[in-house]
Amino acid sequence: LTSLKASLSKLYGKFMHLVGQGILSEEEEETFHRIIKKTASDEELQLSLGELCEYLHRLHKTKVLLLIDEYDTPMQASFLNGYWKEMANLLRGLFGAALKDNSHLYKGVVTGITRIAKENLFSGLNNLSVYSVLDHGYSPYFGLTEPKVKAALVTFNLEDRLDTVRDWYNGYVFGQDTEVYNPWSLVSFLARKLARPYWGNTSDNALIKKYAQEMPAEAKQQLESLIRGEEIEARIENHMVYSDLDQNGNVDRVWTLFLISGYLKCTGEGEQGRLKLKVPNKEVMSIYEGMIVEWFAGVGVSRIFQEFIGALEAGDTMLMESHLGLIAEETFSHFDTKIGQSESFYHAFFLGMLMALRGRYWIDSNKQSGYGRFDIMMAPHDKSMLGFIIEFKSFNARLHHKDLDEVAASALQQIEDRKYETELRSRGISRIKKLAIVFKGQLVKIVEAGAVAKT
């Protein structure tokens, strides 16, 4: 409410020329001043936009074009902080007075994340047209299309950076066929000439973080697939509102929130009415990486996690095993893991941890190299550093595994037989460490293939 009063006060302050010109009555001028001083009543706040339209119509003899940006930002804040119903009632009155039966209004343009009709803040509006990220109408205008981006890069003598800009800031899809770039990020890149996250440092992603941390096991596994650069499928609910998110167990609503908030893009139609979803670009992927790091901090293993990353880069296998064991002990319960969990879970979990190293390593997963597909390959940007080939195995007594060492030996033999290091060597990486990581529930065993292999 304080923030809303401040916004309305600032808006009214831009039209102080209305006061003292005989346009407003004495009573209207008193209300005008109360809004500016932030002492207006809730009722006066609710009528404020509609009345400002009337005042401007009187002065200019022309109906008003009203632009309301991020209309649901107050709804998000109130939802997170437990006063959603109160805020909804206030905004319903504010927007209703401004947009419904307002004879001084030429047209209203409202932008936000959630669809307008179902939010019930605009009930009874006539001639309402709604365009979402899945609709074709106006799809090229939600961001910058590639021709405009190319022209901007030429203007700044940066046309040779187009591929970099594509990787970092392109990929947002509107209407399922129009790709656009993030305008704020592109402008920031043009100013600084550095490819780095810009939007992620400005957007308020508290709601995204909340539901990323509270995801059920099924959604967490899908999140891990997204981090690996893969697609997932979900049934998108176009009419979802914030209060729907509290209905536990509905994974599709979580992915709907991620899509409409810009953290996913639609890449096509899936099966049974579902849509295919994917992380749009490197900038957004970096936000997911930050979530992983914050998640580890949230479960109390932030320091251990950082020390594990340091041990990995140094190639200290014993320290890696010790720290990874502590992390597994503290965190696997949050993923509802069981003894005998599939290798894919451990693979995805470890890959999520490696997001912290994307700035120094190219990290590939399940790619062809030699005579098969490795689990994870880490190719350092600096070719003098260690490269890694990592194979995961899960101990399973039903497969007659005797102990973790036997399973690790099998994994290392697989790396050798299938020559997984071929891709690293083709990139000019000569210092290669081959690791087998074996899990048995929360127990961890890491074994390396002898000393560091050199050509």
Side-chain angles (χ1 to χ4, degrees):
L1 182 58
T2 300
S3 178
L4 180 60
K5 284 184 176 181
S7 296
L8 290 171
S9 171
K10 184 178 180 180
L11 176 64
Y12 262 61
K14 294 179 179 179
F15 299 100
M16 276 298 296
H17 59 278
L18 292 167
V19 178
Q21 302 297 319
I23 297 170
L24 309 183
S25 68
E26 182 178 343
E27 182 179 353
E28 287 171 340
E29 288 194 355
E30 290 175 356
T31 302
F32 201 106
H33 284 296
R34 281 195 294 273
I35 291 174
I36 289 180
K37 294 177 180 178
K38 307 171 192 173
T39 58
S41 66
D42 286 357
E43 182 180 359
E44 289 172 329
L45 292 176
Q46 288 179 321
L47 297 174
S48 60
L49 285 181
E51 291 182 341
L52 184 57
C53 290
E54 180 179 353
Y55 303 155
L56 291 170
H57 189 194
R58 287 181 199 168
L59 175 64
H60 297 287
K61 306 296 191 261
T62 301
K63 291 187 177 182
V64 173
L65 175 62
L66 178 61
L67 308 178
I68 302 176
D69 188 26
E70 297 185 349
Y71 87 91
D72 53 352
T73 295
M75 299 303 301
Q76 182 179 139
S78 63
F79 177 72
L80 285 169
N81 294 286
Y83 55 94
W84 184 84
K85 291 183 179 179
E86 293 82 354
M87 181 58 73
N89 288 333
L90 178 61
L91 293 183
R92 190 176 296 113
L94 178 69
F95 295 147
L99 299 171
K100 181 182 177 183
D101 299 327
N102 183 353
S103 60
H104 309 282
L105 182 69
Y106 164 66
K107 183 179 290 186
V109 178
V110 184
T111 69
I113 293 175
T114 53
R115 283 179 66 97
I116 290 171
K118 178 73 185 295
E119 191 62 63
N120 201 28
L121 301 182
F122 305 88
S123 58
L125 287 186
N126 298 318
N127 303 318
L128 178 67
S129 298
V130 181
Y131 299 91
S132 74
V133 297
L134 300 176
D135 295 315
H136 292 279
Y138 303 103
S139 59
Y141 307 108
F142 283 95
L144 297 175
T145 57
E146 182 144 310
K148 294 179 181 178
V149 171
K150 287 181 177 179
L153 292 175
V154 168
T155 300
F156 284 81
N157 297 316
L158 293 169
E159 55 266 37
D160 60 329
R161 305 292 300 280
L162 177 60
D163 288 342
T164 297
V165 171
R166 272 198 196 115
D167 289 342
W168 274 87
Y169 311 120
N170 192 18
Y172 298 97
V173 179
F174 287 82
Q176 300 190 46
D177 59 6
T178 303
E179 280 202 336
V180 297
Y181 289 72
N182 185 321
W184 170 257
S185 298
L186 180 69
V187 169
S188 300
F189 172 81
L190 294 175
R192 296 171 175 81
K193 299 178 175 57
L194 294 173
R196 60 176 55 170
Y198 295 110
W199 176 64
N201 292 332
T202 60
S203 64
D204 183 1
N205 53 14
L207 194 63
I208 293 293
K209 290 180 179 178
K210 169 182 168 63
Y211 285 97
Q213 293 179 358
E214 297 177 0
M215 283 179 174
E218 175 190 352
K220 284 179 178 175
Q221 291 179 359
Q222 289 179 307
L223 178 61
E224 290 149 8
S225 296
L226 290 169
I227 291 172
R228 293 198 299 269
E230 300 170 359
E231 292 179 339
I232 65 169
E233 291 189 9
R235 193 179 305 278
I236 300 304
E237 300 190 13
N238 285 326
H239 301 287
M240 184 200 75
V241 296
Y242 289 120
S243 56
D244 290 340
L245 290 168
D246 269 345
Q247 299 180 23
N248 295 331
N250 193 320
V251 175
D252 289 333
R253 286 184 180 143
V254 174
W255 297 131
T256 297
L257 174 66
F258 276 56
L259 174 65
I260 63 179
S261 301
Y263 293 88
L264 292 174
K265 67 176 180 179
C266 174
T267 58
E269 296 184 0
E271 298 180 352
Q272 299 179 342
R274 294 177 175 271
L275 296 180
K276 295 179 179 179
L277 305 174
K278 192 175 183 180
V279 178
N281 52 46
K282 285 186 176 181
E283 181 175 47
V284 178
M285 183 65 81
S286 72
I287 297 175
Y288 285 97
E289 293 167 8
M291 288 180 188
I292 294 292
V293 175
E294 290 184 16
W295 186 84
F296 281 114
V299 295
V301 294
S302 179
R303 179 184 59 80
I304 299 171
F305 168 68
Q306 295 297 338
E307 291 177 356
F308 168 79
I309 293 297
L312 173 61
E313 288 193 276
D316 189 333
T317 306
M318 292 184 63
L319 194 57
M320 282 176 59
E321 179 179 291
S322 173
H323 286 355
L324 186 57
L326 291 173
I327 292 171
E329 184 178 342
E330 290 294 326
T331 61
F332 279 8
S333 61
H334 294 268
F335 287 92
D336 299 323
T337 62
K338 300 177 182 178
I339 299 298
Q341 178 70 288
S342 68
E343 292 166 16
S344 62
F345 168 81
Y346 298 115
H347 181 167
F349 175 83
F350 194 85
L351 189 64
M353 295 175 64
L354 295 183
M355 294 300 102
L357 288 172
R358 280 191 179 269
R360 299 189 291 279
Y361 287 83
W362 286 287
I363 299 172
D364 288 314
S365 173
N366 289 319
K367 297 291 181 65
Q368 182 74 32
S369 180
Y371 303 118
R373 291 179 176 270
F374 53 73
D375 281 343
I376 289 179
M377 180 189 77
M378 298 172 57
H381 296 178
D382 180 350
K383 294 181 181 180
S384 67
M385 294 173 58
L386 277 172
F388 293 87
I389 295 293
I390 303 174
E391 186 69 21
F392 295 92
K393 295 293 182 183
S394 175
F395 180 90
N396 192 330
R398 289 177 295 180
L399 297 178
H400 306 292
H401 291 160
K402 295 179 180 179
D403 53 37
L404 300 184
D405 288 314
E406 178 194 45
V407 181
S410 171
L412 292 175
Q413 190 62 51
Q414 180 177 324
I415 293 174
E416 295 295 336
D417 291 346
R418 300 184 184 180
K419 300 187 181 302
Y420 287 156
E421 78 276 9
T422 302
E423 175 65 18
L424 279 177
R425 296 196 187 283
S426 71
R427 296 190 186 192
I429 310 300
S430 60
R431 301 177 63 236
I432 301 172
K433 187 174 282 285
K434 304 168 186 177
L435 298 177
I437 302 182
V438 184
F439 292 92
K440 181 181 181 182
Q442 297 176 9
L443 297 177
V444 181
K445 181 75 175 181
I446 302 180
V447 181
E448 65 176 284
V452 175
K454 296 184 179 180
T455 54

